Amino acid sequence: MASVFSRIIAGEIPSYKVAEDENYYAFLDINPLTKGHTLVVPKKEVDYIFDLDDDTLAGMMVFAKKVAAKIKQEIDCKRVAVVVLGMEVPHAHIHLIPINSEADVDFHREKLALTAEEFQEIASKLAK
């Protein structure tokens, strides 16, 4: 069965898309730590990031760099953190999290509760 991320990429499940090319897809995390928290995934479904072939992994990082630059431009933050956990969904992914301190990357703290309008507004800014 396809992962939830593959289903998002295929359009079977809605998402707040931020960027896309032929190999990668970036969309807002629906349980964000901060406004602009974005997930970057390869379109090729591979469970573990370090099981990706070298070209796909390198391309994913270059794609993530472009998305992070847009996040930094549009979201008030000091940095964009890059986090790879990979335990939640069996599909390689990178978290890009706008941060002002290391405390912003605490996955155990309460997530933001954003409205659909807030998600759409953020996605529209980042997709420009």
Side-chain angles (χ1 to χ4, degrees):
M1 182 170 179
S3 78
V4 66
F5 291 166
S6 289
R7 294 180 65 211
I8 287 170
I9 294 163
E12 297 170 17
I13 296 174
S15 70
Y16 296 98
K17 181 170 67 171
V18 168
E20 178 179 21
D21 69 12
E22 62 278 357
N23 297 308
Y24 308 99
Y25 192 88
F27 57 100
L28 295 179
D29 190 312
I30 60 168
N31 294 304
L33 293 175
T34 63
K35 286 187 177 184
H37 181 167
T38 300
L39 299 174
V40 174
V41 300
K43 290 185 175 179
K44 179 195 300 187
E45 186 175 319
V46 174
D47 179 10
Y48 181 51
I49 195 165
F50 293 123
D51 286 339
L52 292 169
D53 64 80
D54 291 349
D55 289 339
T56 301
L57 178 58
M60 186 172 166
M61 289 305 292
V62 171
F63 182 83
K65 180 180 178 181
K66 292 174 187 171
V67 174
K70 189 65 174 181
I71 291 170
K72 182 82 170 70
Q73 175 184 325
E74 296 294 334
I75 304 293
D76 183 27
C77 63
K78 290 183 180 175
R79 301 254 169 124
V80 177
V82 179
V83 178
V84 177
L85 299 171
M87 302 300 289
E88 321 81 34
V89 176
H91 191 134
H93 59 286
I94 297 170
H95 293 261
L96 298 176
I97 307 166
I99 64 170
N100 290 304
S101 76
E102 289 180 11
D104 292 336
V105 188
D106 180 359
F107 279 82
H108 296 334
R109 71 186 177 118
E110 189 173 338
K111 309 300 188 277
L112 295 182
L114 302 178
T115 65
E117 292 78 19
E118 288 174 304
F119 276 117
Q120 189 56 55
E121 179 182 338
I122 294 165
S124 293
K125 276 187 190 178
L126 299 181
K128 287 181 193 173

